[in-house]
Amino acid sequence: MSFEVFYSSPVGKWLGFVAAVWVQAISGNNYTFSNYSDALKSLMALTQLQLNNLSVSKDVGKAFGILAGLASDRLSTPVILLIGGIEGFIGYGVQWLVVSGTIKPLPYWIMCIFLCMGGNSTTWMNTAILVTCIRNFKKNRGPVTGILKGYVGLSTAIFTDICSALFASDPSTFLLLLAVVPFTVCLTAIVFLREIPPSSTNTEEKEEVKHFGVINIIAVIIAVYLLVFDISGPHGKVFSQIFAAILLVLLGSPLLIPIYLMVKRFIRANSENNLDVEGNNIIAEPLLPGEETVKKEVVVVEENVVAVVEVEEKRPRVIGEDHTIFEAMRTLDFWILFVSFLCGVGTGLAVMNNLGQMGLALGYTDVSIFISLTSIWGFFGRIISGSVSEYFIKKAAVPRPIWNAASQILMAVGYIFLAMALPGSLYIGSIVVGICYGVRLAISVPTASELFGLKYYGLIYNVLILNLPLGSFLFSGLLAGLLYDAQATKTAGGGNTCVGAHCYKLVFIVMSIACIVGFGLDILLTIRTKSLYAKIYASRKAKKTSTVLS
């Protein structure tokens, strides 16, 4: 079998998806800042505002994701992955050199550049993975996005727990892992991930749903496994090593699907060879008419496309059709989605970037548990919302944005609970913020593809995630940084610190109000897109009916 035939087969398609899962499982390094932020703060004698602006630098890297979006229409998936891997290796590698003491602390502005590079590296990885996989499995966009974004959410816990288990949460070792592991995994994914035509029959679509179900189960097992490790207290060295080994086995277990398909293909090929002595002649005979039919169909399709383009040039695009980024930005729906997304991910990032200081302010000496909880429950939010939203579209034409609205109001409640600073509130708050942040990401990504099409999706996706640096700057860099410094006292060696529930109380109240605004916008988008999802539902139902009748 030639490489081209292999890549276009179901085996190659699913092997590429497994490689995509691995990339996503290590591409959430942008959310791990709290694991080494305190080391940077003390090493560079920073105030909280300076530290928060340093964290904003990594999120600003996502603003340059527009470059990855533009490149997605011009460069192949392997090239985009390679760029992301190299950039991350340099960005986190330099941070490791500083924190490990290998080189002296660099000037503040230079550190900002390398944090920006580390943040930007993930945009190349995510663009390559999401654009390719959504096109390969476009009839199952919800599960695809939920699984991939779910593994991004788990990646923070994976890195944190492995480092905690093997290296006692040493920040310099943690940064070394962030530099080396993603680069290595990207090199592996380059070999397998390719854009392949999506399923064309109802049978293939049903098979895909089953395989996604298996990967969902594996992912849930990994999440529960990580959660049990986190809440079970201190562990010995041998136990921690066993934990890490089993985790690596679990991460590799999605390979069972392409292996199963390969064995199934091999058995079927042998069976056909045994039944057909003159197989070559029989196979060759119908191929010519088939090829001729395909060519005729392609000509007809191309003619239809030309005709459609000529008509569409005379009228504005409607929601559900392929939009360029400029056409999308001229619609009200884009800006409703954009601002509501800002309210959800911006406030969520503020919590993730400040979890270390939030924990210390409330008297916790080890804050890694909160970082892991946010990551693991963020996974549950992503993976469940992706599958549930897809199910309700197929069954009752429920607009996908309604789930964003639900997450926004729950997040607002979570921030009020955090502002009250009751015993255990940081545990509950970490879980609620993780779930809602996960839902927000998993729902907004396929929603954008349904509203504005897949043709220019790479660029549209990267414009949409400009909310990450913008939200980080507004809610983390300005709001949390300024309000924390207003309450903090200066330390002898430089920098400052704040201890007590008052440190972040006003921050949580303001973010709760922002989430209520986002809730209103999501409800509005749900109403505006109701007819679109009714059409998607009707189209899928009509196709299923015609398949049954034929």
Side-chain angles (χ1 to χ4, degrees), residues 158-177:
I158 291 169
F159 275 122
T160 302
D161 286 352
I162 287 181
C163 191
S164 175
L166 302 181
F167 311 109
S169 300
D170 176 55
S172 64
T173 306
F174 188 82
L175 280 165
L176 182 61
L177 288 176

Side-chain angles (χ1 to χ4, degrees), residues 281-313:
N281 294 332
I282 294 177
I283 292 173
E285 192 174 347
L287 273 179
L288 290 177
E291 287 177 357
E292 189 177 19
T293 304
V294 170
K295 288 177 183 177
K296 288 179 181 178
E297 288 175 356
V298 169
V299 171
V300 172
V301 169
E302 288 177 350
E303 288 174 356
N304 287 341
V305 169
V306 172
V308 169
V309 170
E310 290 175 353
V311 172
E312 288 181 342
E313 285 178 348

Side-chain angles (χ1 to χ4, degrees), residues 36 39-40 43 94-103 111 170-173 175:
Y36 57 92
L40 285 175
L43 190 66
V94 171
Q95 293 178 64
W96 167 72
L97 291 174
V98 171
V99 173
S100 64
T102 306
I103 62 175
M111 287 298 293
D170 176 55
S172 64
T173 306
L175 280 165

Side-chain angles (χ1 to χ4, degrees), residues 416-427:
I416 292 172
F417 196 78
L418 283 168
M420 296 169 67
L422 299 172
S425 62
L426 196 53
Y427 286 95

Side-chain angles (χ1 to χ4, degrees), residues 422-485:
L422 299 172
S425 62
L426 196 53
Y427 286 95
I428 297 174
S430 299
I431 292 171
V432 171
V433 170
I435 291 173
C436 296
Y437 186 87
V439 171
R440 184 82 245 188
L441 283 174
I443 296 297
S444 297
V445 170
T447 298
S449 73
E450 287 157 349
L451 266 58
F452 308 113
L454 285 172
K455 188 173 182 180
Y456 307 102
Y457 179 67
L459 185 54
I460 290 172
Y461 165 74
N462 279 287
V463 170
L464 190 62
I465 64 168
L466 285 174
N467 279 299
L468 296 178
L470 180 59
S472 179
F473 172 72
L474 292 175
F475 293 104
S476 182
L478 288 182
L479 180 68
L482 289 173
L483 293 181
Y484 179 95
D485 283 347

Side-chain angles (χ1 to χ4, degrees), residues 319 327-345 400-402 404-405 408 440 444 447-448 451-452 463-464 467 514-530:
I319 292 299
E327 289 170 337
M329 291 175 71
R330 286 198 291 267
T331 67
L332 179 60
D333 298 289
F334 178 85
W335 292 109
I336 294 174
L337 180 63
F338 187 91
V339 177
S340 70
F341 193 51
L342 173 64
C343 294
V345 299
R400 215 184 286 268
I402 193 67
N404 276 339
Q408 289 280 58
R440 184 82 245 188
S444 297
T447 298
L451 266 58
F452 308 113
V463 170
L464 190 62
N467 279 299
C515 285
I516 293 171
V517 172
F519 168 76
L521 291 172
D522 286 321
I523 291 294
L524 177 60
L525 189 61
T526 299
I527 296 169
R528 289 178 61 85
T529 58
K530 191 174 181 180

